[in-house]
Amino acid sequence: MPNPQFTKPWHGVPRESIHWNPSVLEDVCIGCGTCVTGCSRLVYRFDFERKKPVVVDPLNCMVGCTTCANTCPAHALVFPPIALVLALEGLTDVRHSVEDDLQARHDILASTVKVPHPDRIISLIVKSIDKSVGDVLRVTLAPVTPGECFCEFAPGQYIELWQPESSHLSRSYSIANAPHGDGSVTLHIRKVEGGRFTQWAFDAMKVGDTCQARGPLVEFTMRSPADMPLLFVAGGTGLAPVLALLEQQANFAPQRDMVLIWGMRQVADFYALDALKALVARAPGLRIILAADKLQSPAEVSPAIQFLEGNVLGAMASDAALPGQRDVYAAGPPVMLRELAHALDALGVDKTHVHMDSFGV
Ligand code: SF4
Ligand code: SF4
């Protein structure tokens, strides 16, 4: 019998609509019964005559759990790709449901074990908000207290930003600049339809607001030797950490052979073109390809900035110099990163030369 305790909606998504349960490879199964006795949700029963497990109540299976497959000595249990669950977790309503659940059960779930916090939390004040491209805000923040800043951050890192007067509503954004000495950071905030945080950012955030921030986090930082040519690939607001890395190179190695491919759906979506123009002016070794699915007569930005119709993979394939003997740095939607990883693998690019921003965007 499906157990209502286990088949209730998963973070607001009806359990029946989520196809997550084990399947038994009968030819491989040795009938040990570990899966049957080990699953506390009674997904399985045992066929004592055939000595095989039977998936009787698939909806009892916990979404995302693979414990039985991990403990099967014959590797006889398979699950749908975990990408299915990760895609659900990317839904705004699912994220809100998890946030609400945490708050509703705060007293039960709050940790009583105090772990020293390795990251710094500081106050930042909103200095400027650029709303010039509809779906992306470019927000610059500076330390409220001089000296209390992320002054030591490495280009490619991100910070977590709290909505003012909320103890829990926060989102993480890559820093889109190299350190400027004054602790200022610029973030690219993409509008998420129905998203709580971005609704505040787009509708209510104003210059002078003070926000708590934690960081700097993640290690999507420059790892390449100084003489290695570089290929940067960005999708959407994955441009932010890539811009930080490019600014770092413009500061320290402007002659370096570098190519940036940045993909967007349409030409009108490209933002921060002023920052790209400034970069190619400072770094003669840099050329930039802007790839858009729909290419409607783009205005020329700079001779070193070229528009192409198609996606970032198409742009890479159509350029004989790419990827070449380059280290690759990529940030953007997980789907783009996966496809890029496959394409580079097929081209024989060694994984040690590929650096992906696992934080995604
Ligand atoms: S994945 Fe977890 S919940 Fe699902 S059947 Fe296996 S042990 Fe049970
Ligand atoms: S744990 Fe694996 S081998 Fe053992 S009964 Fe289950 S599926 Fe078969």
Side-chain angles (χ1 to χ4, degrees), residues 118-350:
D119 310 308
R120 298 180 58 203
I121 295 184
I122 64 167
S123 295
L124 296 176
I125 188 164
V126 177
K127 286 291 185 186
S128 69
I129 305 172
D130 177 358
K131 298 186 175 181
S132 55
V133 174
D135 270 359
V136 177
L137 289 182
R138 282 197 290 167
V139 181
T140 298
L141 304 106
V144 169
T145 309
E148 273 198 30
C149 63
F150 304 127
C151 309
E152 73 287 6
F153 76 86
Q157 292 191 297
Y158 70 85
I159 61 170
E160 183 178 2
L161 193 70
W162 271 261
Q163 182 175 320
E165 290 158 23
S166 170
S167 61
H168 70 280
L169 194 55
S170 65
R171 295 290 182 265
S172 296
Y173 295 98
S174 292
I175 302 170
N177 57 285
H180 291 166
D182 60 356
S184 63
V185 293
T186 296
L187 310 178
H188 297 176
I189 301 179
R190 180 179 59 85
K191 190 171 203 167
V192 175
E193 215 48 60
R196 290 170 176 165
F197 189 90
T198 59
Q199 188 170 11
W200 162 74
F202 276 75
D203 297 346
M205 180 197 277
K206 56 190 185 311
V207 171
D209 279 351
T210 301
C211 309
Q212 296 293 102
R214 181 171 74 96
L217 304 157
V218 95
E219 293 302 321
F220 180 63
T221 51
M222 182 53 57
R223 308 287 175 86
S224 305
D227 56 350
M228 174 63 78
L230 304 174
L231 169 62
F232 297 93
V233 182
T237 47
L239 178 72
V242 165
L243 266 187
L245 292 170
L246 281 169
E247 187 181 336
Q248 179 188 39
Q249 295 306 307
N251 291 340
F252 298 113
Q255 303 295 337
R256 190 171 193 160
D257 178 357
M258 298 182 288
V259 179
L260 162 65
I261 305 175
W262 179 26
M264 279 289 192
R265 285 215 176 83
Q266 52 190 0
V267 172
D269 293 338
F270 288 111
Y271 63 93
L273 293 177
D274 54 338
L276 296 185
K277 273 168 71 173
L279 277 172
V280 291
R282 290 176 53 208
L286 171 65
R287 72 185 166 95
I288 296 177
I289 302 168
L290 303 181
D293 293 339
K294 292 180 200 154
L295 196 65
Q296 327 92 317
S297 53
E300 177 166 317
V301 182
S302 152
I305 301 178
Q306 170 197 6
F307 284 89
L308 267 185
E309 187 159 271
N311 62 18
V312 294
L313 294 184
M316 186 173 76
S318 66
D319 192 312
L322 300 178
Q325 300 296 313
R326 294 167 189 275
D327 276 5
V328 181
Y329 289 79
V335 173
M336 184 204 87
L337 295 181
R338 272 198 299 276
E339 290 177 358
L340 177 65
H342 288 142
L344 292 169
D345 199 35
L347 289 166
V349 178
D350 192 281

Side-chain angles (χ1 to χ4, degrees), residues 24 29-36 46 53 68 71-74 76-77:
V24 181
C29 169
I30 56 173
C32 70
T34 305
C35 56
V36 184
F46 199 57
C68 49
T71 55
C72 170
L77 297 170

Side-chain angles (χ1 to χ4, degrees), residues 22 39 41 43-44 60-62 65-68 79:
C39 175
R41 292 182 161 223
V43 170
Y44 302 98
N60 283 1
C61 182
M62 182 161 68
C65 181
T66 57
T67 299
C68 49
F79 280 84

